[in-house]
Every structure is written in C-alpha cells, then in structure tokens.
Amino acid sequence: MHKKTPRGLLLIFFVLFFMACSDSDDRIEQKELPNLAQAYLKTYLPKSQILQVENVKSTKDGQEKYKVTLSKQITVLFNESGNWLQVEGESTLPQSILNSLDEEELIALKANYPALDFIKISNTSLYRFRREVTLLDHTQLVLYYKLGTIYIATSLKENKAPSFLYDFIEAYYTHVAIEYILQVEEEGEKVFKVYITAETKSKEHSAIDNQVELVFNQDGEWLSVEHNKTAIPQKLYQTISDYAQEYMAEKYSSLIINSIIKQDEYYGFGVFTNDIRQTIFVSKEASPVFRFDVVQRFIWEHFNPNYQNSSTTIRRDKTKRYYITHQIKSEEGFIKLEANTNGGWVVLETIDRFIPLSVLETLPKEVKELLDSKALSQWVDKIVKSENGAISIYAKDEKYVFGE
C-alpha cells in the first residue's frame, strides 16, 4: 500500500526546485565577466578566491549587473560594461581595495579615518556624489567634490538628525522621500545637506528632475534650495525678503525659479530659459543680471567638461562693478572662470589640465604667435584680462603680458 505525499510537502518541493533552477540559471563562468571586471579582481583582490559569479538584474533600474562572491565573505558588483559599482565585506575590506580609489580620496579618508576600517564602498552619481563608504561601526560617509576639494560628509540616520530639518520639509513639501541627510564642514562652516525626491503628477518630469537639495546652517536657517528642474514651492518663495520678490515680479515674472541662494547682502535665483541656466542676483543696492548663459556656452564650447560639481558666487570690486565667479570640478580637472555681467570672461584658470588651444585662438593674433614661438601654447593654465586691455598669460610658472 502506497502512502500519499501531503500536498503541502509537494508544493514546498516544487518551490525549492524552481528556486534552485532559477539560481543556477543566473550563474556564469568567471571567463564570461567583462574584461574590466576581471582586471579589477586580479588587481585589487588578487588573494581572494572567486566562489560564484552571477548575472543579476537590478530591481531599481532594470540594468543587468554582475555579482561576484569571493572568499572571506566579500562581494563585488559590476555593471554590464565591467566597471565596479560596489564592494562589500562582513569585516574590514582588504587594504588592496583602497588602491582602487582616487589618490585625493584616499588622502582625505586617511586624514579623517586613519584606521581605514571600511566594510563597504560604493560608486554613485546621485546628487553629484562621488563615493559612499561604510565604516566597521556602520557609520555611513559620502564623498563629493566642491571647488576642487573633496569633502567627507557623515550620513545621519533619521533619529540622529535635528528636528528643524523635518519641520522645514513638512512646512514646504508634500509627498517627498528623504534620500540623504548629511552633516559636513564646508569652508569652515558646519552645514546640514538634505536630499529629497519630490513626487509630481507632471509627465514631463522624471524622478531625477524632481531631486531637491536643501542646505541649512547649524542654527536651522536655510542657506540654499536647489531643484533639479522643478519650481521652488510658492509657499517657500514667499518667505524671502520683499525687495527680492518685488524685483523678480517686475523683471522676471514669467520665469520658473528652480534654485535660491540666500546670503546676507543678496539672493541668487537660478532660472531656466530655453534649457539654459541663468543666475539672477538681487540685492538692495543693485540687482545685476548676469548672462550666465554666455558663460555656460563658452565653457561647453571650449571645455565640454564632465561635471562632478560646480558653484557660482559674485563679488563687487572697488568701482562697484559686479563679477561672477563660476568654478567647476570635472573628471578632466578644475576650471575657474570670472566674468562680468555680460558674461565676458576676465579671468580663466585651470588646475590639473591646461587651457584649450581653441581659447587661445580667441585672443589677439600676436599672443598666439608668441606662445607658439616659445612652444608654450600647450602649457597655458591661466589668462587674465585687465581693464586697460592688457592680457596676462601664465605658462610653466612664467608670466607674459601683452598690450600694456
């Protein structure tokens, strides 16, 4: 007489069977990894044994990725091209892994965390970040560039963040998800940076368009609000000074404001016109309008940088002329440009790269001829245009002045 197998046991058996089949379908041979991934493992994890290689699909972006499991409970995630996305371990990662970071990142990390006890390192392009790092005690750090400097911010958990951040978000935003709350010291001032994604019913905007950065000082006063593409909430806009609102209403009532910088002496309003970003500075004494589109056009035409970070500030000289300074950190190096209100540049400086020859072509002919005769055209890293028409060229630690 045969005994019947309970239906429940049969169901469990089939579920386990299909799960096993599914898992085995994802596994691939090590030789099937892209060359970049294989080179990474050979270079930075030479002593680790590869236990399993899987072809997985991300639930977030739907992109195929490769997950490699190694000895000592280390896993590495690569994208479909073989670039590493994340490396994680149950204990401190091998020191060899740290060599995959940029030198300046490693210097900054060593200065702040000399033990280098990291259990997770991730590449990320979210919100202009560079890396995310998790320490052995599970403290989360975010690395990012600003003005040619790398900063290390501490990622705060919700129960560790000050309540005024949540009060602000609740007052001016609805239906948002808080992605990051960071605490960092920038240029001697400790600030909080909050990154949120706002929901919208508009089909014209993607999730990236709806990203928002909020910056606060230690006292809870907001310093800047930047929306990637969407408009600043009207309720928040109405909290700024009357003189700034009145000026913008009179001159630029039709423009959508997507960022505000708040300083003691002025406001900076970021607007988009025909997909070109402009910055309008408004102060009580004067309200200069900078042709930021001209600055942008010049940068894209001659540098075409792969942006990592950028910032914009204004200054006023002794003659009360206003100038805008735009600084860019890109993968190719650092660019600093100072321009007048019409967008015409007066100072151009680069670090870790040289000024393109196309820029020299815009200067008087005798400048380019002299530089070519001295074989210096490839080595120019700073140009200054004086009010009297003189042009100063800096190359190989030498200064050459034309038109004095």
Side-chain angles (χ1 to χ4, degrees), residues 45 47-52 69-75 94:
L45 289 164
K47 297 181 180 180
S48 298
Q49 180 184 358
I50 297 176
L51 304 178
Q52 182 173 289
T69 304
L70 302 102
S71 55
K72 297 184 179 180
Q73 297 178 302
I74 296 173
T75 59

Side-chain angles (χ1 to χ4, degrees), residues 25-300:
D25 289 344
D26 292 336
R27 295 179 185 178
I28 61 174
E29 297 292 328
Q30 179 184 345
K31 62 183 180 182
E32 297 180 67
L33 283 171
N35 292 335
L36 282 175
Q38 295 191 50
Y40 178 92
L41 296 171
K42 184 178 180 180
T43 303
Y44 301 113
L45 289 164
K47 297 181 180 180
S48 298
Q49 180 184 358
I50 297 176
L51 304 178
Q52 182 173 289
V53 181
E54 300 171 83
N55 191 338
V56 297
K57 182 172 286 189
S58 171
T59 56
K60 288 186 177 181
D61 56 21
Q63 299 294 318
E64 287 192 358
K65 296 178 174 61
Y66 298 98
K67 179 182 178 182
V68 180
T69 304
L70 302 102
S71 55
K72 297 184 179 180
Q73 297 178 302
I74 296 173
T75 59
V76 186
L77 196 64
F78 300 94
N79 66 14
E80 59 184 349
S81 300
N83 296 301
W84 74 278
L85 302 174
Q86 178 180 291
V87 56
E88 184 175 9
E90 292 294 325
S91 57
T92 303
L93 293 170
Q95 293 291 306
S96 57
I97 284 290
L98 302 181
N99 295 327
S100 64
L101 302 178
D102 292 344
E103 182 180 0
E104 54 192 343
E105 295 174 334
L106 195 52
I107 291 173
L109 286 168
K110 283 182 177 178
N112 291 275
Y113 303 94
L116 298 177
D117 51 350
F118 310 134
I119 61 173
K120 184 178 179 181
I121 303 175
S122 304
N123 286 324
T124 178
S125 58
L126 288 173
Y127 305 106
R128 306 170 189 162
F129 297 160
R130 179 70 176 168
R131 318 272 189 204
E132 291 184 57
V133 176
T134 304
L135 301 179
L136 185 59
D137 64 1
H138 297 285
T139 298
Q140 292 183 311
L141 309 174
V142 171
L143 281 65
Y144 64 92
Y145 285 109
K146 182 179 180 181
L147 306 184
T149 301
I150 189 163
Y151 290 91
I152 301 178
T154 303
S155 182
L156 302 179
K157 296 181 180 178
E158 292 191 13
N159 60 345
K160 298 287 186 179
S163 59
F164 61 73
L165 302 177
Y166 301 101
D167 294 340
F168 182 93
I169 294 171
E170 184 178 352
Y172 301 111
Y173 292 90
T174 57
H175 306 296
V176 298
I178 299 176
E179 306 289 350
Y180 292 88
I181 300 177
L182 304 181
Q183 187 173 24
V184 65
E185 184 173 328
E186 286 187 356
E187 301 174 9
E189 182 179 13
K190 291 183 179 180
V191 297
F192 294 98
K193 293 190 168 189
V194 182
Y195 297 87
I196 62 177
T197 301
E199 294 181 5
T200 178
K201 296 180 180 179
S202 173
K203 295 182 179 180
E204 298 177 359
H205 298 295
S206 65
I208 294 178
D209 291 340
N210 298 330
Q211 292 175 352
V212 178
E213 179 193 76
L214 311 171
V215 181
F216 302 81
N217 63 19
Q218 291 289 102
D219 298 324
E221 179 184 4
W222 69 271
L223 305 176
S224 67
V225 177
E226 181 177 353
H227 288 225
N228 202 17
K229 286 287 183 70
T230 55
I232 297 291
Q234 186 64 21
K235 188 176 179 181
L236 173 58
Y237 180 76
Q238 291 172 348
T239 65
I240 67 175
S241 298
D242 290 341
Y243 75 85
Q245 289 191 57
E246 291 170 1
Y247 181 87
M248 293 299 291
E250 179 184 352
K251 302 287 187 179
Y252 303 100
S253 59
S254 62
L255 297 182
I256 295 175
I257 299 170
N258 73 324
S259 68
I260 303 177
I261 301 172
K262 185 171 65 170
Q263 298 289 340
D264 292 337
E265 298 180 356
Y266 66 87
Y267 287 91
F269 298 96
V271 299
F272 272 97
T273 55
N274 298 323
D275 288 330
I276 296 175
R277 178 175 173 267
Q278 297 187 55
T279 302
I280 301 168
F281 291 97
V282 181
S283 66
K284 285 185 178 180
E285 294 185 10
S287 298
V289 178
F290 286 97
R291 289 296 307 276
F292 196 71
D293 58 315
V294 176
V295 173
Q296 283 188 311
R297 228 175 4 252
F298 175 85
I299 290 171
W300 283 112

